[in-house]
Amino acid sequence: MKFTDTAPTLPRPAGPPPWLAKLAQDATLEGAVLKRPVHGKDNILALISHARTLYEFQDYTYFGNISDQFFLESYRSSVNGVPLECSIIVHTNAAGEADSVLIHHYPLSGVHEFSRLMWEKFGDRFGELYLTAAQSEGLNKASGK
């Protein structure tokens, strides 16, 4: 049984996650769909605002604080019909700003598709962060997908 299969689906939260409005200027974003970390509030907001449009739905299994310093989101989704599950862990600094965001997508086929779609949108500005169509296809073939 998969991790998110063990939790019931929650009502979709209203609006964007609260940490997004509290993103620190020097925040860092790391994730399975990225080749390297992303630095800076403006870069992170540009990427996340588009990434959110790629999800065909978001069925949340958790959405909220897990302590004073950490916020957690967990949801099921799909992108271009490819199943995708996501966990987001956000660290909040002493000033109450989200200074570190870790986004974990799985399974690998979903990671490849998500990264490829982000490259299509941001290849000119953030192309070094994402998989090209050829790279995604090659990795899918190598993994037997």
Side-chain angles (χ1 to χ4, degrees):
M1 179 171 286
K2 293 188 301 183
F3 176 77
T4 55
D5 287 344
T6 63
T9 300
L10 304 173
R12 183 179 173 89
W19 58 266
L20 200 53
K22 299 175 187 175
L23 203 57
Q25 287 297 326
D26 62 347
T28 300
L29 169 67
E30 297 176 89
V33 301
L34 298 167
K35 292 180 180 177
R36 65 168 179 78
V38 176
H39 301 283
K41 179 179 181 175
D42 293 339
N43 291 332
I44 294 169
L45 289 174
L47 295 173
I48 288 178
S49 64
H50 178 69
R52 294 181 72 197
T53 69
L54 297 178
Y55 298 121
E56 293 166 354
F57 62 90
Q58 288 176 289
D59 289 341
Y60 284 84
T61 56
Y62 190 86
F63 185 90
N65 291 314
I66 54 175
S67 74
D68 291 341
Q69 295 179 316
F70 292 98
F71 186 90
L72 176 68
E73 294 179 47
S74 179
Y75 53 86
R76 302 172 191 113
S77 188
S78 66
V79 175
N80 268 357
V82 179
L84 188 67
E85 306 215 16
C86 184
S87 298
I88 301 174
I89 303 170
V90 180
H91 178 264
T92 305
N93 64 22
E97 301 171 315
D99 63 356
S100 180
V101 180
L102 174 63
I103 302 178
H104 175 70
H105 290 91
Y106 64 97
L108 197 53
S109 58
V111 171
H112 294 164
E113 182 66 5
F114 196 92
S115 187
R116 182 188 68 77
L117 291 171
M118 289 296 286
W119 185 87
E120 284 180 3
K121 171 69 176 177
F122 290 109
D124 57 337
R125 181 174 171 195
F126 297 110
E128 77 284 357
L129 295 175
Y130 297 103
L131 298 174
T132 64
Q135 290 169 332
S136 178
E137 183 179 320
L139 288 169
N140 281 332
K141 284 181 183 177
S143 65
K145 299 292 175 187

